Amino acid sequence: MKCVVELSEAEETTLQQLSINHKHRDTRTRAAGLLMLGRRIKPKVIAEQLGVSGQSVYNWSHAWRDSGVVGLMGGHNGGRPPALSDAMITTALEVARTESLLTLAQIGQRVQAVHGEPLPCRIETLGEALKREGFSFKRNRYALKKSATKRSAS
């Protein structure tokens, strides 16, 4: 099957906007590649210009033909599963809201006590989850005493 894409004016405008504004780089690249295919540029040339394999350009063409714009958007639902369960995050949020003077370590201990199991991640991961919900923490700082830094004159 030939790698030819016929674009309407609305589709071309949509692809131009996607190639400029989409948050994922690979979607921007796919949109740019399809625009080039619509302008009758050969897939091998497109692959060289965009720094992808020739097969990728053919895959974009088939995805466009089968699903349209939705075919370009796929591929962003993978990745590593979250270390903390939603229940643990909810518990941490409740503890942080009800008792505002706790440290992050103390919140982690409360979550462990409620769920009866150790945190499946580092304490910093719990801190990041709480930061996403609007909480912030100050880390403890150790001040140097002047007497400890003075050198004796010999």
Side-chain angles (χ1 to χ4, degrees):
M1 183 176 271
K2 288 195 173 195
C3 192
V4 177
V5 175
E6 296 290 331
L7 299 175
S8 68
E9 191 174 321
E11 290 171 336
E12 190 165 334
T13 303
T14 301
L15 287 172
Q16 285 174 346
Q17 290 301 313
L18 279 176
S19 69
I20 297 169
N21 298 321
H22 198 273
K23 66 180 181 176
H24 295 295
R25 181 180 52 86
D26 57 340
T27 302
R28 291 191 303 266
T29 303
R30 293 172 191 163
L34 281 170
L35 280 171
M36 290 184 214
L37 279 174
R39 295 181 182 134
R40 306 280 191 236
I41 299 174
K42 295 187 184 251
K44 187 174 182 180
V45 175
I46 295 170
E48 288 173 5
Q49 286 182 354
L50 296 178
V52 298
S53 70
Q55 185 61 48
S56 294
V57 179
Y58 284 96
N59 292 344
W60 302 338
S61 169
H62 295 302
W64 177 261
R65 193 174 302 120
D66 295 340
S67 306
V69 174
V70 176
L72 296 181
M73 303 288 189
H76 296 289
N77 57 357
R80 182 178 180 174
L84 288 170
S85 67
D86 291 336
M88 284 188 166
I89 294 173
T90 303
T91 304
L93 289 171
E94 290 172 4
V95 169
R97 283 189 185 112
T98 57
E99 302 176 42
S100 61
L101 298 177
L102 294 178
T103 65
L104 185 58
Q106 290 170 329
I107 293 172
Q109 289 171 351
R110 299 274 170 92
V111 170
Q112 289 176 359
V114 168
H115 289 277
E117 61 182 90
L119 287 176
C121 59
R122 297 183 0 211
I123 194 75
E124 290 83 4
T125 305
L126 177 63
E128 290 298 319
L130 291 172
K131 282 181 190 176
R132 282 192 296 273
E133 298 295 328
F135 288 92
S136 64
F137 300 93
K138 289 184 180 178
R139 64 181 176 90
N140 293 333
R141 296 179 185 228
Y142 299 104
L144 294 175
K145 294 181 181 178
K146 289 184 180 180
S147 62
T149 59
K150 286 185 182 177
R151 296 191 178 226
S152 59
S154 328

